[in-house]
């Protein structure tokens, strides 16, 4: 791929419809690499060759939570800011999530798992590893089981600089997608309008668009594309926004000399700091108690040699947690965002109950409760989440336009050549950090698009009567 960080937008054969990838984060780059040899593929990214915190605009609503600290723009995207922890979800994060009696995820866990290895390779992880295997190898599997918990595994990816793939796909930096232009029946995107850094606008014909612009921006682009409310998209667009709820759990202290306290240390010794274990409630208990997936992990060592714990919990999707547009433009000439996001009383109650089960197990494992009972209720906390980096759910996938924005391939319902990729398509959040799963979905999507190309299924695009 070659990178054009220039002010003029020059594409080869400008009248030929292009396949446009919006976003050169890990997701967009993975798709670009997988499709590098298809004709007319180009990538645009709003940022420069070195990704930096995104100065998109001030969002209304919960802006202090989701400001520039939690998104980056430029080559490589938000991994410029990330922690590098990756994890693979459990089967019940995907297969057992139900709403109105039907599965929310339109892809089976087994199908997604067949893409896991490729996603790991894209992140430079040389092999697949599982939590049970690591716990066994460290001699602590039985101890974990005896106190009624299940291990979960995090691995660390060292890089925040994605490889530049070799094939010659042009990547235009400092180039913002401003507008999508639709056919008069709204069933296809026929054109795109972009703006270069010095303000020039260019319009060009489109064969296919893949939005890989991040968990908030994917939805913003689609919301901007239907401001006249032609009902091009599902009413779920922008709704169901989820974060992982992350916070330190105080009150329970784990002595370093207990097996629980040794988890981090032993794993670090065994695997040169590349893997860490966390603890989850077993699936049967979560199912019986209808609890979301939450994990506890060693958080930090205090001066007296004890260890505190960190909680990372799934948030259930709610339509009231949403992003929408406000009637003002940002500096890039796209409408500003408003974000409504809250941790509901129901979320708090679930987390509180999960923590009570954790407490029972960890006390058996030698933890000390410094403030009996108190810590276990999140309702006791003035809950102000310090974290807001996993943006999920705003363009969720599902079986139809009535319950989702895209289908299982990330293809927008009703618009055959418009695709969305990234954690915005997750209908539920599960316990795991999102990037490994979003990459697996992106590679699966690229394979779908390649098949589409191979069988020539793409309808020819027409520029007749385009509609904005
Ligand atoms: C502080 C922090 C820590 C994190 N830690 C972890 C972690 O430990 N593990 C994990 O799995 N995940 C983590 N994440 C999340 C992880 O960074 C994201 O899941 C991942 O970067 C998403 O990749 P992406 O390519 O989908 O989107 P992004 O990386 O956000 O890339 C999107 C790109 O699209 C471009 N773009 C957006 N809109 C437009 C437009 N209109 N026109 C042109 N270009 C556009 C942007 O400039 C950007 O470069 C963390 C996030 C944060 C903020």
């Amino acid at each position: 791929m070659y990178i054009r960080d220039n002010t003029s937008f020059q594409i080869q054969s400008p009248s030929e419809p292009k396949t446009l990838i919006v976003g050169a984060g890990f997701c967009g780059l993975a798709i670009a690499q997988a499709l590098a040899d298809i004709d007319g593929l180009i990538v645009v990214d709003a940022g420069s060759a070195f990704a930096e915190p995104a100065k998109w605009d001030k969002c209304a609503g919960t802006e202090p939570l989701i400001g520039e600290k939690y998104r980056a723009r430029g080559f490589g995207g938000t991994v410029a800011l990330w922690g590098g922890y990756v994890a693979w979800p459990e089967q019940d994060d995907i297969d057992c999530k139900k709403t109105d009696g039907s599965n929310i995820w339109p892809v089976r866990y087994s199908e997604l798992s067949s893409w896991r290895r490729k996603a790991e390779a894209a992140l430079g992880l040389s092999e697949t590893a599982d939590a049970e295997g690591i716990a066994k190898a460290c001699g602590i599997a039985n101890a974990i089981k005896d106190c009624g918990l299940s291990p979960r595994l995090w691995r660390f990816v060292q890089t925040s600089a994605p490889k530049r793939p070799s094939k010659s796909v042009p990547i235009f930096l400092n180039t913002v997608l401003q507008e999508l232009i639709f056919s008069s029946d709204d069933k296809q995107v026929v054109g795109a309008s972009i703006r270069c850094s010095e303000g020039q606008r260019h319009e060009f014909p489109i064969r296919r668009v893949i939005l890989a612009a991040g968990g908030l921006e994917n939805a913003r682009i689609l919301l901007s594309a239907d401001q006249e409310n032609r009902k091009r998209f599902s009413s779920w667009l922008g709704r169901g926004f989820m974060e992982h709820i992350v916070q330190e759990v105080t009150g329970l202290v784990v002595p370093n000399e207990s097996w629980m306290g040794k988890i981090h240390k032993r794993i670090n010794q065994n695997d040169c700091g590349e893997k860490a274990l966390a603890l989850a409630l077993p699936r049967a208990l979560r199912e019986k108690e209808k609890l979301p997936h939450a994990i506890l992990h060693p958080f930090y060592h205090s001066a007296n040699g004890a260890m505190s714990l960190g909680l990372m919990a799934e948030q259930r999707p709610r339509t009231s947690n949403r992003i929408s547009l406000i009637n003002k433009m940002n500096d890039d000439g796209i409408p500003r965002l408003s974000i409504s996001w809250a941790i509901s009383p129901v979320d708090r109650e679930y987390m509180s109950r999960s923590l009570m089960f954790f407490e029972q197990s960890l006390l058996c494992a030698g933890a000390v409760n410094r403030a009996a009972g108190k810590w276990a209720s999140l309702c006791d906390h003035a809950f102000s989440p310090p974290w807001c980096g996993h943006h999920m759910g705003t363009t969720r996938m599902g079986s139809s336009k009535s319950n989702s924005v895209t289908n299982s391939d990330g293809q927008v319902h009703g618009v055959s050549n418009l695709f969305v990729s990234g954690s915005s398509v997750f209908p539920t959040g599960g316990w795991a950090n999102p990037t490994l799963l979003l990459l697996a979905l992106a590679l699966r999507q690229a394979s779908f698009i390649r098949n589409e190309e191979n069988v020539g299924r793409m309808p020819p695009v027409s520029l007749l009567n385009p509609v904005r």
Side-chain angles (χ1 to χ4, degrees):
M1 292 194 188
Y2 61 96
I3 301 199
R4 313 271 305 248
D5 196 355
N6 56 5
T7 51
S8 63
F9 178 76
Q10 286 163 345
I11 44 177
Q12 283 182 346
S13 319
S15 58
E16 291 287 316
K18 301 287 179 261
T19 288
L20 170 69
I21 298 178
V22 183
F26 262 23
C27 183
L29 289 173
I31 298 172
Q33 185 161 19
L35 297 178
D37 57 348
I38 70 168
D39 285 342
L41 181 67
I42 63 171
V43 181
V44 296
D45 195 287
S48 66
F50 300 98
E52 354 172 75
K55 295 189 174 52
W56 287 106
D57 50 89
K58 293 241 178 293
C59 304
T62 49
E63 147 67 11
L65 292 177
I66 310 173
E68 56 188 51
K69 214 166 120 195
Y70 294 111
R71 280 175 294 165
R73 59 198 279 178
F75 189 81
T78 306
V79 290
L81 309 174
W82 81 333
Y85 291 68
V86 294
W88 188 248
E90 297 297 304
Q91 183 172 4
D92 63 318
D93 287 321
I94 308 289
D95 283 348
C96 298
K97 299 292 179 182
K98 297 197 172 144
T99 177
D100 306 322
S102 61
N103 243 357
I104 302 181
W105 279 84
V107 196
R108 302 292 299 173
Y109 183 74
S110 52
E111 157 75 4
L112 285 178
S113 295
S114 67
W115 293 93
R116 174 181 176 179
R117 185 64 213 112
K118 287 197 171 83
E120 287 172 332
L123 287 170
L125 293 168
S126 55
E127 57 185 28
T128 290
D130 73 282
E132 301 282 352
I134 298 283
K136 259 190 207 140
C138 295
I140 53 176
N142 286 340
I144 295 177
K145 203 165 160 203
D146 287 349
C147 69
L149 294 171
S150 306
R152 295 285 177 270
L153 182 66
W154 265 322
R155 306 171 76 192
F156 300 111
V157 174
Q158 307 295 340
T159 182
S160 59
K163 274 193 242 137
R164 292 172 187 213
S166 57
K167 296 276 184 143
S168 39
V169 178
I171 302 178
F172 294 94
L173 297 173
N174 294 309
T175 302
V176 180
L177 172 76
Q178 282 192 318
E179 199 178 358
L180 296 173
I181 303 159
F182 287 76
S183 60
S184 51
D185 61 4
D186 285 331
K187 290 190 173 154
Q188 275 191 294
V189 180
V190 293
S193 172
I194 54 102
R195 200 185 70 166
C196 303
S197 57
E198 288 197 342
Q200 306 95 326
R201 271 180 82 121
H202 298 268
E203 261 181 42
F204 56 95
I206 282 294
R207 180 167 169 77
R208 178 192 289 112
V209 176
I210 303 160
L211 300 178
L216 299 178
E217 297 306 320
N218 282 343
R220 176 185 346 216
I221 291 167
L222 292 184
L223 285 165
S224 311
D226 200 19
Q227 288 184 80
E228 279 160 25
N229 200 15
R230 291 170 60 91
K231 302 213 178 341
R232 281 180 179 136
F233 310 118
S234 164
S235 59
W236 269 95
L237 177 58
R239 295 174 187 269
F241 176 54
M242 296 166 289
E243 275 291 346
H244 284 122
I245 301 171
V246 175
Q247 79 161 66
E248 184 189 349
V249 172
T250 54
L252 194 77
V253 172
V254 183
N256 283 339
E257 61 277 12
S258 71
W259 67 263
M260 169 69 192
K262 285 178 187 154
I263 282 183
H264 223 197
K265 210 166 146 207
R266 292 183 68 167
I267 299 299
N268 284 350
Q269 278 165 359
N270 282 357
D271 293 297
C272 313
E274 286 173 3
K275 301 184 181 82
L277 283 185
L279 298 168
L281 300 174
R283 177 171 171 176
L285 177 66
R286 280 184 283 115
E287 279 176 6
K288 180 164 166 257
E289 299 290 331
K290 299 192 171 24
L291 295 171
H293 210 152
I295 56 148
L296 278 187
H297 58 98
F299 193 57
Y300 69 82
H301 298 260
S302 60
N304 65 3
M307 183 178 280
S308 301
L309 298 168
L311 170 77
M312 181 157 129
E314 171 177 21
Q315 183 180 30
R316 309 223 171 178
R318 298 163 69 216
T319 52
S320 56
N321 281 338
R322 63 181 297 201
I323 68 165
S324 48
L325 301 182
I326 48 181
N327 204 8
K328 282 186 184 154
M329 295 291 176
N330 69 6
D331 293 346
D332 287 321
I334 45 183
R336 284 177 49 186
L337 272 183
S338 171
I339 300 172
S340 304
W341 181 61
I343 296 167
S344 68
V346 178
D347 288 332
R348 285 165 198 265
E349 198 249 315
Y350 284 139
M351 284 190 288
S352 182
R353 283 178 48 227
S354 298
L355 283 173
M356 280 191 278
F357 286 111
F358 272 121
E359 181 178 44
Q360 287 163 13
S361 299
L362 292 178
L363 289 176
C364 297
V368 179
N369 194 337
R370 281 201 305 215
K374 262 264 166 204
W375 75 286
S377 171
L378 272 179
C379 301
D380 291 343
H381 291 258
F383 195 76
S384 57
W387 167 262
C388 217
H390 298 167
H391 306 149
M392 300 173 284
T394 55
T395 63
R396 60 182 359 222
M397 55 165 57
S399 54
S400 71
K401 194 170 171 178
S402 65
N403 62 21
S404 55
V405 179
T406 80
N407 70 12
S408 60
D409 296 305
Q411 195 170 23
V412 172
H413 292 301
V415 189
S416 61
N417 63 348
L418 179 55
F419 292 81
V420 185
S421 208
S423 51
S424 64
V425 301
F426 295 5
T428 61
W431 83 271
N433 306 49
T435 308
L436 191 54
L437 180 58
L438 77 83
L439 277 174
L441 279 166
L443 294 167
R444 181 174 174 275
Q445 181 182 66
S447 156
F448 173 85
I449 290 172
R450 171 165 298 286
N451 286 343
E452 214 178 42
E453 285 282 322
N454 289 350
V455 299
R457 213 185 317 139
M458 288 302 296
V461 285
S462 149
L463 274 176
L464 289 179
N465 305 318
V467 181
R468 281 162 200 274

